Amino acid sequence: MNPQPRRQLHVGHAAAVCVGMVIGAGIFRTSPEVAAHLDQPATLMLAWAIGGILSLIGGLCFAEMSAAFPDTGGDYHFLRLAYGQRIAVLFAWSRFSVIHTGSIALLAFVFGDYLNQLIPLGAYGSPAFGALLITALVLMNLRGLSVGIGAQFVLMLLVLAGLVIVGFAGIHLATAGHQPLPPPADAVPVVLGVAGFGQAMVYVLLAYGGWSDAATLSAEMRDPKRGMPLALAGGLATVFALYLWVNWAYLQGLGFYGLAHSQAPAADLMRTAFGHPGEVVIVSIVAITSISVMNALLLAGSRTTYATARDLQALGDVGRWDGEKGVPRGAMIAMGAVSMLLVGFGTLTRGGFSTMVDYLSPVYWFFLMLSGIAVIRLRRRFPDAPRPFRVPWYPVLPLLFAASSAYLFYSSLAYVKLGAVLGVGVILLGALLLWPLMHWHQKRRTESLPEAERRP
């Protein structure tokens, strides 16, 4: 009998993990993109509120699946049970080629955008700083050096402190009677439409991303029925409050137009509130946060890639482990190379951060849509499986989550951009290459079995 995770986590610990997984450097860069697609401050705050609610619904869906089918594979395991190995392998490919590497490149641009405020190197400063950081992180990990759990916790507290400081900067400016600069006379107002709101929500929910990983703690909760819903509700409520506070602060210091046209809103706000020292503080926090999250993505993503390549032996060195250093060397080098190529792609399109959002969003929301539907499929395929926690108002909430994910998938493709085309193309390429490879690998395994063990 396979050992199962022990139920040892209390609600507060799981809620803290949820907050740490959701909040990253993205919140310091997404707000301008959200504002650029909306028409007024009230709509901006509404979008962030809706994002929090949809994230909680998605978290409840994942809580049921991870409690019923606990596995370290998380999404990969749920999709394999619901749809079969082909979809699961395609999801693993998407993590390597689009979601994880795209997120690393995206954060590299966040890091570069902020550092370029302090050390201006012109139009190519941001990608240059980002590329150097990716190279440094890959080399550091190949030497067997990594950031420990304790350090990751300190870094989580640091980003929380950064958000709180930004919030207090807004309070400081509001009490001082600060008036943001008005938009120029020739500014063209945004006319809000369904497509524009959908594009804004793509960026909002990107900032809320991470709860799908937090929900996999369900199998370790002391209270199997109420523990995970309470942890998700508490964690996401904390994130929700901080995100609303930070966006309110941006509006106090920069105004709606200023926010929509800022490349580094937290740095611009802190410079307005506290001068150059304030700018240095927030740039340092954003830089350290970017490094922390990128390193975590590189560590987790390379191990997922290694495990998949190990099972498909034709992928060669990507599926080999460096026993001396304790790292998946081939997978890590491959991830670093793809991330660097994506930084180059974002530089060529002159979109940088927004190009990376275009690149990974359709793929991200496609698989989340499948995960929402998987709740229903798994209930039908495994009706007798123990479910310590069940999604309330079933099947309404899973269908609502799947529908909202489908809408965001559509929104990320509504105005077809080069980044989205490339992201979808990479997934289709993966299907063309990996599915025949899976068939070949399965055939070889079958042929290697004794005649009596082969399936008819």
Side-chain angles (χ1 to χ4, degrees):
M1 182 177 179
N2 292 329
Q4 296 295 319
R6 290 191 298 120
R7 295 195 175 278
Q8 57 185 335
L9 300 181
H10 54 77
V11 171
H13 183 261
V17 172
C18 178
V19 172
M21 287 180 169
V22 173
I23 295 180
I27 182 58
F28 295 109
R29 186 63 180 80
T30 51
S31 290
E33 305 292 344
V34 177
H37 290 90
L38 300 177
D39 60 341
Q40 57 179 316
T43 316
L44 174 77
M45 302 303 280
L46 176 63
W48 285 99
I50 293 173
I53 294 170
L54 290 177
S55 297
L56 178 58
I57 294 173
L60 294 176
C61 292
F62 272 70
E64 173 174 322
M65 292 189 290
S66 55
F69 309 100
D71 190 274
T72 54
D75 312 34
Y76 175 86
H77 183 59
F78 307 149
L79 292 171
R80 184 176 62 82
L81 291 176
Y83 302 104
Q85 190 67 24
R86 287 177 178 268
I87 294 296
V89 167
L90 192 62
F91 174 69
W93 165 256
S94 77
R95 277 187 151 179
F96 163 72
S97 61
V98 178
I99 297 174
H100 281 158
T101 46
S103 296
I104 290 172
L106 179 150
L107 289 167
F109 280 112
V110 175
F111 173 85
D113 287 343
Y114 272 82
L115 195 57
N116 206 37
Q117 296 282 309
L118 289 184
I119 310 173
L121 296 181
Y124 295 103
S126 177
F129 285 131
L132 286 173
L133 177 57
I134 292 172
T135 303
L137 287 175
V138 170
L139 292 175
M140 180 188 77
N141 281 283
L142 288 177
R143 291 178 60 85
L145 304 174
S146 61
V147 179
I149 294 174
Q152 290 285 358
F153 183 75
V154 171
L155 292 169
M156 181 196 76
L157 294 179
L158 184 64
V159 69
L160 289 176
L163 292 176
V164 171
I165 291 171
V166 169
F168 275 114
I171 293 176
H172 169 71
L173 291 173
T175 56
H178 171 76
Q179 294 295 321
L181 292 175
D186 59 349
V188 179
V190 174
V191 178
L192 184 63
V194 174
F197 190 79
Q199 287 284 323
M201 291 305 302
V202 167
Y203 286 96
V204 167
L205 285 155
L206 174 72
Y208 276 107
W211 49 261
S212 59
D213 294 321
T216 59
L217 296 173
S218 288
E220 300 174 65
M221 297 300 299
R222 290 178 180 174
D223 185 343
K225 186 173 183 180
R226 298 185 303 162
M228 199 68 222
L230 289 174
L232 283 167
L236 286 172
T238 302
V239 176
F240 174 84
L242 285 170
Y243 281 7
L244 288 184
W245 189 18
V246 166
N247 279 280
W248 173 84
Y250 287 155
L251 293 172
Q252 299 308 306
L254 308 178
F256 187 73
Y257 181 86
L259 173 60
H261 291 81
S262 174
Q263 291 295 309
D268 292 340
L269 174 66
M270 292 293 287
R271 183 172 58 250
T272 300
F274 305 118
H276 185 66
E279 182 184 19
V280 171
V281 168
I282 201 64
V283 169
S284 301
I285 289 175
V286 173
I288 294 171
T289 303
S290 300
I291 293 170
S292 170
V293 179
M294 288 170 68
N295 187 66
L297 285 168
L298 190 61
L299 286 171
S302 62
R303 280 156 175 79
T304 301
T305 301
Y306 154 77
T308 305
R310 178 197 58 199
D311 294 339
L312 299 174
Q313 297 172 0
L315 295 180
D317 288 343
V318 179
R320 292 179 184 171
W321 188 270
D322 185 336
E324 181 182 351
K325 300 296 184 182
V327 295
R329 173 177 293 272
M332 194 164 286
I333 292 173
M335 281 197 70
V338 173
S339 300
M340 292 284 283
L341 287 173
L342 291 176
V343 169
F345 173 64
T347 305
L348 288 175
T349 63
R350 300 185 180 276
F353 176 86
S354 60
T355 296
M356 288 302 99
V357 175
D358 293 338
Y359 176 72
L360 67 88
S361 290
V363 177
Y364 178 72
W365 288 110
F366 174 75
F367 282 106
L368 275 185
M369 176 185 69
L370 292 185
S371 295
I373 300 171
V375 177
I376 300 171
R377 287 181 62 90
L378 291 174
R379 281 211 188 185
R380 292 180 177 178
R381 293 192 67 184
F382 305 96
D384 299 326
R387 287 176 169 80
F389 170 74
R390 290 173 177 263
V391 178
W393 301 309
Y394 175 89
V396 175
L397 290 190
L399 288 174
L400 177 60
F401 176 68
S404 63
S405 298
Y407 170 65
L408 289 163
F409 172 69
Y410 160 77
S411 296
S412 60
L413 293 172
Y415 297 103
V416 180
K417 298 178 181 177
L418 186 57
V421 171
L422 181 62
V424 173
V426 167
I427 294 304
L428 294 177
L429 178 64
L432 290 173
L433 295 178
L434 291 178
W435 286 353
L437 184 61
M438 284 177 57
H439 177 74
W440 173 81
H441 181 66
Q442 184 62 38
K443 184 178 179 181
R444 284 196 61 186
R445 288 185 59 186
T446 303
E447 291 174 348
S448 67
L449 292 174
E451 187 68 31
E453 296 182 22
R454 297 183 188 181
R455 292 182 179 178

